[in-house]
Amino acid sequence: MLPNMTPHDNNHNNLHITYIKEALKEAQKAQERGEVPIGAIVVCQNRIIARAHNLTETLQDPTAHAEMQAITSATHATGGKYLPDCTLYVTLEPCVMCAGALRWAQLGALVYGASDPKQGFMRMGAQLLHPKTEVVSGVLEQECAAIITRFFAKKR
């Protein structure tokens, strides 16, 4: 296990599940818009301060990933460019671009559902994130993977 990777912790597991379910609601909104169904939320001091989902098709912007939208919304909510006291919950492992943005935002923690072995940042390693960012993976992994799998199955 890499230094900043955190195993499932029973004390936080229920909280992580609750927030990943909120991110799944955002993924559903993306799907309804014809977007790849990835959702994200940012939590700070036990309060959701940002909700987002993929908007790449809607905005015709390849950088409009759920995580990027969530970072922008969260920094507006906090009034600053850093998010060290915040946790990003996202349904799919962030890509390298998003991991870089999370590093610049100095995110406190990242919790994601499904892994993305083709496009996920872990292909390059957790060092893409800020050194203090804690990472928890696999929260509601099957549910998070299923919404994406169903989406692409319908596309084929």
Side-chain angles (χ1 to χ4, degrees), residues 16-82:
H16 291 331
I17 289 170
T18 296
Y19 288 133
I20 284 288
K21 284 181 179 178
E22 291 299 314
L24 279 164
K25 290 177 185 177
E26 289 298 315
Q28 184 62 41
K29 290 178 188 176
Q31 182 171 314
E32 290 166 5
R33 295 179 82 135
E35 300 277 355
V36 175
I38 299 169
I41 64 163
V42 178
V43 174
C44 193
Q45 298 175 0
N46 296 317
R47 189 172 63 90
I48 297 172
I49 63 167
R51 293 176 175 275
H53 53 272
N54 268 8
L55 290 172
T56 58
E57 299 300 324
T58 303
L59 299 177
Q60 290 295 292
D61 178 355
T63 68
H65 291 192
E67 300 94 327
M68 301 296 271
Q69 302 299 310
I71 291 167
T72 299
S73 184
T75 57
H76 288 153
T78 63
K81 63 181 180 179
Y82 300 120

